[in-house]
Amino acid sequence: MYQTTIKKPVELVGIGLHKGSAVKLRLEPLDSNSGIIFYRSDVDVAIPLIPANVVDTKMATVIGRDGYIISTIEHMLSAVYAYGIDNLKIIVDADEVPVMDGSSASFCMLLDEAGRQELDAPKKVMKIKKDIIIQEGDKYVKLSPSPDLKYDFTIKFAHPVIQKQEYVLHFNKQSYREEISRARTFGFLHEVQYLRSKGLALGGSLENAVVLDEKKVLNPEGLRFPDEFVRHKILDAIGDMALIGMNFVGNYEAMAGSHDLNHKLTLELLKNPENYEVIELVGEKTKELEKAYA
């Protein structure tokens, strides 16, 4: 199995979540071993997707370089990861990726339009060799060895619509498209009002997020899944784990995980080479590993 990029450049325009302004997003192919590179066309700054370039994880995963940032990258990356794209240039003309409908469905459609192109270098995946856990109070995120890839996420909210939800995704491109990609980001009305008072979430609306008051969902169309909240948390986690730099094989487990805990997990994983093994997907022995990314 070989590394991939997209067949042709594609682009879209959407609203930025925090500033509420139009943002142009363009995807372009890259050669083997280039990785994922973000580029701010408005200031001519390239920001490679590596953990060292993460500058904020409070409300979204934010990368930066030389004082310039790109925010809310996780939904786009979640789709790129699920499609097994190894090398890609992601161009935006502002400091955030457009939020679209709050899920990764629009990015999946964009990647479908772009197509996938095999390159000349073997695809690499990271095999998790040891248990790695980041825990803060009763919240934790964990990676553990496994012959396949599974995301197991649990959330608890003292809200009548959410309460406790758990979802297990047996990962492949098809299961991601059908079970995860349409799950939208969510927030509470009092949080949105506070953020707007600080000049943030100006682009947030019922068109791009599930919003709840103290008792109910405010979106007139309701939920896309009864457990849309935990499914979106898996969507976020997949995007955050893309910071590893390649697809991985192992189990991801979380209890009330967050962007911040996911970032700390990637740093802990990469800190010690004994935690993982990088495998080139060549030969019969890797056939099983190839299935998730076919």
Side-chain angles (χ1 to χ4, degrees):
M1 192 173 188
Y2 292 91
Q3 290 182 32
T4 61
T5 189
I6 55 174
K7 283 186 177 180
K8 64 176 184 180
V10 288
E11 59 186 50
L12 56 73
V13 176
I15 297 297
L17 177 62
H18 286 305
K19 293 193 174 176
S21 303
V23 180
K24 181 179 176 182
L25 169 75
R26 178 178 170 87
L27 307 181
E28 294 182 355
L30 285 179
D31 293 333
S32 299
N33 300 312
S34 298
I36 309 295
I37 298 176
F38 282 82
Y39 178 71
R40 283 273 305 268
S41 60
D42 56 326
V43 291
D44 190 25
V45 171
I47 309 175
L49 186 70
I50 56 174
N53 285 336
V54 174
V55 295
D56 191 6
T57 54
K58 286 192 292 291
M59 301 193 59
T61 297
V62 183
I63 54 174
R65 188 178 184 187
D66 300 333
Y68 296 100
I69 66 163
I70 301 177
S71 178
T72 323
I73 63 174
E74 59 272 8
H75 300 171
M76 174 79 241
L77 287 177
S78 187
V80 170
Y81 185 103
Y83 274 62
I85 303 295
D86 303 291
N87 307 284
L88 185 67
K89 189 173 186 179
I90 302 172
I91 304 168
V92 290
D93 62 356
D95 62 0
E96 54 185 328
V97 174
V99 68
M100 307 313 291
D101 72 346
S103 75
S104 66
S106 295
F107 303 125
C108 289
M109 288 188 284
L110 191 65
L111 291 170
D112 287 335
E113 180 187 347
R116 192 168 71 164
Q117 177 71 46
E118 278 199 347
L119 299 169
D120 56 0
K123 185 178 179 73
K124 298 174 183 177
V125 299
M126 182 177 289
K127 185 176 182 180
I128 306 301
K129 294 178 67 177
K130 294 184 175 182
D131 286 352
I132 302 151
I133 187 167
I134 300 294
Q135 186 156 5
E136 295 180 358
D138 58 355
K139 302 177 180 181
Y140 71 86
V141 290
K142 179 182 178 181
L143 289 173
S144 55
S146 173
D148 52 15
L149 176 53
K150 182 173 71 177
Y151 285 84
D152 183 344
F153 211 114
T154 302
I155 59 173
K156 286 183 181 178
F157 283 86
H159 190 284
V161 178
I162 306 177
Q163 300 182 49
K164 181 179 180 180
Q165 296 185 358
E166 181 180 8
Y167 198 82
V168 179
L169 174 72
H170 296 275
F171 178 89
N172 58 51
K173 179 182 173 182
Q174 182 177 350
S175 66
Y176 176 86
R177 283 290 305 264
E178 295 176 356
E179 301 172 38
I180 300 299
S181 68
R182 294 177 59 249
R184 295 162 294 176
T185 192
F186 63 94
F188 300 94
L189 184 59
H190 65 90
E191 293 177 342
V192 175
Q193 292 167 339
Y194 172 77
L195 289 170
R196 287 184 172 173
S197 74
K198 300 294 183 182
L200 300 172
L202 300 178
S205 72
L206 298 179
E207 301 296 320
N208 53 39
V210 177
V211 181
L212 305 101
D213 64 12
E214 293 180 0
K215 296 181 179 180
K216 63 185 184 298
V217 171
L218 298 179
N219 303 63
E221 76 280 10
L223 298 174
R224 294 176 177 175
F225 310 94
D227 53 1
E228 185 169 359
F229 308 98
V230 71
R231 292 184 193 229
H232 184 79
K233 287 293 190 178
I234 291 177
L235 187 156
D236 278 346
I238 292 170
D240 287 343
M241 298 311 292
L243 269 294
I244 289 173
M246 64 187 74
N247 294 108
F248 72 91
V249 179
N251 284 346
Y252 169 97
E253 181 183 341
M255 173 66 204
S258 64
H259 299 302
D260 185 57
L261 290 176
N262 289 334
H263 176 51
K264 290 173 180 174
L265 185 64
T266 60
L267 293 177
E268 186 66 23
L269 168 68
L270 297 173
K271 188 167 69 175
N272 186 349
E274 293 184 1
N275 290 334
Y276 60 87
E277 178 185 2
V278 176
I279 299 172
E280 291 187 346
L281 295 185
V282 291
E284 287 299 317
K285 291 183 179 179
T286 66
K287 290 297 183 186
E288 284 299 311
L289 299 181
E290 293 180 18
K291 288 181 181 178
Y293 308 110

